[in-house]
Amino acid sequence: MYVIQGGYKKYRGWVPQQFDRPYSIQILGGMTGSGKTRILQQLKVTDEQVIDLEDLAQHQGSSYGSMNKMVQPTQEQFENNLAEQLKNTDPQKKVWVEDESLTIGKRSIPNPFWQQMRNAAMIDIKVALQQRVNALAAEYGSLDKHFLMESTERIRKRLGPEQTKYAIEAIMEGRMRDFVKIVLVYYDKTYRTGLSKRNAAQVFPLELNGTDITTQARHLLNFTANTVIY
């Protein structure tokens, strides 16, 4: 059992202070299905500092982000957990964070920390479309079809009625690659829009080939070690 000196109210006053501290953030970006989360997990294995916001928020950041199993913490608990992880980082060393919008599901990244993310340089990993399709088809293929259809309906306005119809038909018929290809048109467009709002001088493209995560993580680290990133 732990006792918080000064009580929980004092602790909650401490939490936002962690978001105001300056961090040497390195953003990892890339289109949906590029394997960003898996690469971050591998970087953590190699003792890199990693803040996995999607794990903290228990959501993968899209209409399908709950994966029909994850339950999001309260906003307060999300902030507490993020503050605890930031407290344990060395601010003089690089902190890897995945590119995210301000909200992850129903949770919001604290604005001071998110602003640091927006101002940080980003490695924009490039992975072949077919590789992304295969990865997502494998990941979503085991999910409940009704969950996938309901999640697709939520983006009907942005996907369009015709493409929504085709996507749902593909789900019902078990054509997961066709379903993924349809929704990726929307998600890729959304990603490009977000990318266009970043300072182009701070975006560094990096092509990654193959599916071996250890090799990809090593390639990424070699790239950052040999590139002037600011």
Side-chain angles (χ1 to χ4, degrees):
M1 181 176 177
Y2 296 94
V3 176
I4 301 173
Q5 287 189 337
Y8 185 68
K9 185 176 180 180
K10 185 173 181 180
Y11 174 77
R12 281 298 295 172
W14 169 86
V15 165
Q17 295 174 18
Q18 308 314 303
F19 310 139
D20 286 323
R21 290 171 58 202
Y23 299 95
S24 301
I25 295 175
Q26 177 68 77
I27 299 294
L28 182 63
M31 291 184 172
T32 302
S34 298
K36 299 183 294 295
T37 299
R38 292 178 64 209
I39 292 173
L40 283 178
Q41 291 169 347
Q42 181 59 35
L43 290 176
K44 199 168 187 178
V45 169
T46 62
D47 292 329
E48 291 288 315
Q49 294 190 132
V50 173
I51 299 293
D52 189 341
L53 291 168
E54 292 184 354
D55 181 59
L56 290 172
Q58 284 295 285
H59 200 277
Q60 295 189 359
S62 71
S63 179
Y64 310 89
S66 73
M67 302 302 283
N68 202 31
K69 60 183 178 182
M70 292 189 281
V71 178
Q72 293 201 270
T74 63
Q75 179 67 29
E76 187 171 300
Q77 189 61 55
F78 171 63
E79 292 175 3
N80 290 350
N81 294 344
L82 174 57
E84 284 294 328
Q85 286 206 4
L86 289 172
K87 178 195 73 172
N88 295 322
T89 62
D90 181 344
Q92 301 303 315
K93 294 182 179 178
K94 189 183 302 174
V95 180
W96 289 91
V97 182
E98 186 173 337
D99 184 34
E100 302 286 355
S101 60
L102 180 60
T103 57
I104 306 175
K106 293 182 179 179
R107 302 288 76 88
S108 297
I109 300 171
N111 197 59
F113 186 71
W114 190 72
Q115 288 299 330
Q116 289 194 57
M117 290 172 59
R118 293 302 296 174
N119 293 329
M122 184 176 86
I123 309 297
D124 180 26
I125 60 175
K126 307 287 188 182
V127 175
L129 174 60
Q130 194 56 54
Q131 184 173 320
R132 293 164 53 216
V133 170
N134 291 342
L136 291 169
E139 187 174 12
Y140 291 160
S142 61
L143 298 181
D144 180 76
K145 289 183 177 181
H146 293 290
F147 165 75
L148 290 175
M149 289 188 285
E150 288 172 4
S151 300
T152 302
E153 282 289 353
R154 285 200 290 271
I155 57 172
R156 171 181 284 270
K157 277 188 177 180
R158 290 164 285 180
L159 201 56
E162 188 174 21
Q163 293 305 307
T164 301
K165 175 189 172 187
Y166 292 151
I168 288 176
E169 287 176 354
I171 293 168
M172 293 175 66
E173 295 169 8
R175 294 183 286 108
M176 296 310 298
R177 285 180 175 80
D178 290 339
F179 153 66
V180 168
K181 286 177 183 176
I182 292 168
V183 297
L184 273 185
V185 172
Y186 160 66
Y187 282 111
D188 286 358
K189 181 180 179 181
T190 301
Y191 179 77
R192 284 191 292 267
T193 299
L195 192 61
S196 70
K197 295 177 182 178
R198 283 188 171 274
N199 180 352
Q202 288 187 299
V203 176
F204 299 83
L206 172 64
E207 287 192 21
L208 292 179
N209 299 313
T211 58
D212 183 75
I213 294 300
T214 302
T215 302
Q216 290 185 332
R218 189 183 306 121
H219 189 185
L220 176 63
L221 290 175
N222 288 339
F223 178 78
T224 55
N226 295 294
T227 305
V228 178
I229 296 175
Y230 51 89

